[in-house]
Every structure is written in C-alpha cells, then in structure tokens.
Amino acid sequence: MSSLNEYLKKSLNTIKKANWYRQEQTITSLSGSIIQIEGKNLINFASNDYLGLAGDSRLIEASLEATAQYGTGSTGSRLLSGHRDLHYQLESAIALLKQSQKALVFSSGYLANIGTISALVGKKDLILGDEYNHSSLKNGGKLSQAQTIDYKHCDLQDLVAKLSINRANHRHCLITTDSVFSMDGDLCPLPELIEIAHKFDCWLLLDEAHSTGVLGKNGAGCVEYFGLKTTDNLIQIGTLSKAVGSLGGYVTGGEALIDFLRNRCSTWIYTTALSPGDTASALMGTKIIQTESSRRQKLWSNINLLKKLFTQAKLNILPSESAILCLPVKNTSQALKISKKLSLNGFFAPAIRPPTVPTSRIRFSMMATHAQEDIENLMESYLIN
Ligand SMILES: *Cc1c(COP(=O)(O)O)cnc(C)c1O
C-alpha cells in the first residue's frame, strides 16, 4: 500500500528543492495600480487589470445593482434556470466590440477554451498548437482526443512542415494560438496564420486573453490590430477577467459556431451560468473599453515609457507588443532575489520561473492607471543594488 501523504510530502519536497514552490499573497485593498499586500503598499506591476477597471466605481455599482436585483448566484445552467437577460446583453456587447456575428459567455476563459476545442474536434482530427500556448489550450487538446502536435513558438516554417506531413491524414484540423503570449508578451503572426489555415484547410482558434481591450484602435484585439476582418474559419476566445475587469470567458464567431456550442459544448451546458454581479460588471467593462479609448492610449504610453527606460538602461527585455514586459534573468534564485528587492522598495513584480516557463524572468504588467512616476521609480529601484 502506498500512502497518499507520503507521496504528496515527497513531491512537495522536490518542488521546494527546485525553488518551484509557490504560495498565495493576500491583497487587503481595492484592486488597482497601488495595492496593499499584508499591510504594505506596493505599486502593482502584477495585475491583468490592464485598463484599471476592476476597481472602477461604475463596474462595482453595476455589480451591486445586479446582485440586489437578481441575487448572488445564477442558480442553474444557462439552458435551465441560470439565464438572465443580462447574459444576452453582455453577449451582444462582446459581439459588437469584437466585430463578430455572435458571442457566447462562459464562466471562465479556461472553460471557454477547453470546451470549445473539445466540442469542435475529436479522434479523427488534428490540432496544431504553438508550443507556448496557454495551459487551457493544451488541456482542451487533450480532452478533445484529437492528435495534437506542437509547432515551435511562432515558427511558421515549422507549422507548414508539420501540416504538410500530417494534414492529409485527418478529417478536420484546428490551429490554436495565443494572440499575445501570456508569459512573454509577444504577438502571434496572425496574418500569416490565417493564410496558412486557408491554404491547408484548417480552422484557426485565437486566444485573445491579453489582447482584448489592449490591442486595436477600439480595443477589439489582435484582428483589429492587424487591420484584418473576422472570417468563418476564425474562432476568437477571450476572458472577461483581464482588461474587462470582471470574471468569465467568451467565444465569438459566426452564428452557426455559437449555435453549435450552445448545443454541444459541455463546459457551457453543464456548468452554472455566470453570476448576475459578474455579468453586469463585465457588461459595463465591455462598454467602457469601446467608449473610453483614452484609457488604452494611457496604457500604451505607459508601456512605451517602460520600454524606453529599459532601452536607456541597456537592459534587453523579451520582444513584446503588449502590456506584458519581461526581463530575462539568469536563474530561478536570481529571479526570486530581484522580485524580493523590488518588493522591499515598494514594487510588486513577480518572478516567473519553471515549470511555468522554460527560463526565469521578471514579468511587468502595465496598467493605464500607473502614474509616470510609478514607472520611473520602478526603473530607479531596479537599477539600485
Ligand atoms: C488568463 C488566460 C486564460 C484563462 O482565462 P480565465 O478567464 O482566467 O480562466 C486563457 N488563456 C490565456 C492566454 C490566459 O492568459
């Protein structure tokens, strides 16, 4: 008989020895560019709340109002007792923002990804995914039981080579990619991916988690950023928990895609509908993304300022076209040391280390609500030993 506890303790010890052990940090203030962690004020470079909406009074108000009107829980799945008109309003607002025919709201982006992939492809099919794809895309592939092959990060030659060998042996083929890669900040080559998908008769699934609200003139994301149009074979998935400032996920695309998912996607059918409060705040966040482009402009001027300061200090960050800026460091213990130094100086920027990524780095997430001094002081504090 093997003891569960013995096994778990041994595994945890291995994790600790590799400096991979992780723990929560408790935030005791409102979400924003300045937060309090365990009693200490820190300038926040660790948040996905790129536009500063998670602590915005309009979103808070919308959430409170919907909660007072409908209650805290949605009480059922969308097809049974969970649906409210708020869900339709949110889906219309997302479709409008994304310039797509239709949208479907999920309880999280993770569920949207695993559910959509496993509903669309199966045993006879093929998935080609970027090796740096988010965990939800990878696990969606596993759940689908399709043959899954990773191509080298943003390497179109490798993708084409693997399609040339494997495409003909399968019924359908789905190419999956993050649009902004979450642990690096770089952008997928979308125009070329669309071309390749067309040439090899593939569908393309784009994970817009870090692009929605951030990229494109109206915040529609990667498709708008490249000046492209949505097509029938393009499936866009995103989250409501990053720039939108709430919780939940979404899929956008053609009318048939959404109707199919409503009838076939188990992570939408068999889970409780998004709560009224989260739905209402996501609706408000989506509207603000569309109407207040000044927030996005401020975000980009902050991103460009930190990039400029890194360049001036002769520090090479990883290639980035997003609100995620990463500074590579030698190893895990160096990453932890720098993150700790920044924290002692009043800045929250996490060390991202294996196994999440192949090489250690400090990851800075920029926000529209950072003040110019916050960014200048961060750089000064980074440079002082
Ligand atoms: C955060 C994230 C998700 C998951 O979204 P949640 O709504 O937090 O579940 C999916 N894909 C990528 C690339 C992400 O960064």
Side-chain angles (χ1 to χ4, degrees), residues 76-280:
S77 63
R78 284 285 292 282
L79 294 175
L80 289 174
S81 60
H83 178 68
R84 309 288 182 280
D85 188 56
L86 271 175
H87 294 112
Y88 277 162
Q89 290 176 37
L90 176 57
E91 284 164 349
S92 301
I94 292 168
L96 184 69
L97 171 70
K98 300 287 295 178
Q99 293 293 297
S100 295
Q101 264 180 356
K102 288 273 176 185
L104 191 65
V105 166
F106 286 71
S107 303
S108 79
Y110 206 110
L111 287 173
N113 272 334
I114 60 172
T116 302
I117 294 171
S118 57
L120 289 178
V121 290
K123 279 190 181 138
K124 293 179 182 154
D125 305 320
L126 174 68
I127 296 175
L128 273 154
D130 189 292
E131 63 177 334
Y132 285 6
N133 273 350
H134 189 259
S135 147
S136 53
L137 293 174
K138 295 191 182 240
N139 281 331
K142 284 183 196 158
L143 189 62
S144 76
Q145 297 186 288
Q147 187 189 346
T148 301
I149 302 174
D150 280 358
Y151 60 90
K152 288 198 195 108
H153 179 51
C154 290
D155 187 334
L156 299 168
Q157 257 180 338
D158 190 44
L159 171 61
V160 167
K162 285 172 172 160
L163 279 169
S164 303
I165 296 169
N166 297 289
R167 174 65 186 98
N169 305 328
H170 298 272
R171 182 181 58 171
H172 299 133
C173 175
L174 182 68
I175 299 173
T176 61
T177 184
D178 286 15
S179 55
V180 167
F181 288 86
S182 55
M183 293 299 142
D184 295 74
D186 58 340
L187 202 55
C188 76
L190 184 61
E192 292 83 359
L193 287 173
I194 290 177
E195 235 171 74
I196 292 169
H198 184 70
K199 189 169 161 210
F200 285 89
D201 184 25
C202 306
W203 307 328
L204 177 62
L205 188 151
L206 188 63
D207 182 340
E208 290 269 272
H210 297 277
S211 325
T212 308
V214 173
L215 290 179
K217 187 166 160 285
N218 300 299
C222 198
V223 173
E224 185 184 36
Y225 173 86
F226 281 110
L228 302 165
K229 288 246 168 341
T230 55
T231 68
D232 273 353
N233 290 338
L234 179 66
I235 302 138
Q236 295 186 65
I237 299 195
T239 177
L240 302 169
S241 67
K242 289 174 179 143
V244 179
S246 178
L247 179 72
Y250 68 81
V251 177
T252 64
E255 197 160 345
L257 170 73
I258 300 307
D259 215 18
F260 177 85
L261 292 176
R262 287 174 59 256
N263 288 283
R264 276 293 175 83
C265 181
S266 53
T267 63
W268 186 81
I269 299 171
Y270 300 109
T271 196
T272 302
L274 203 60
S275 77
D278 290 326
T279 310

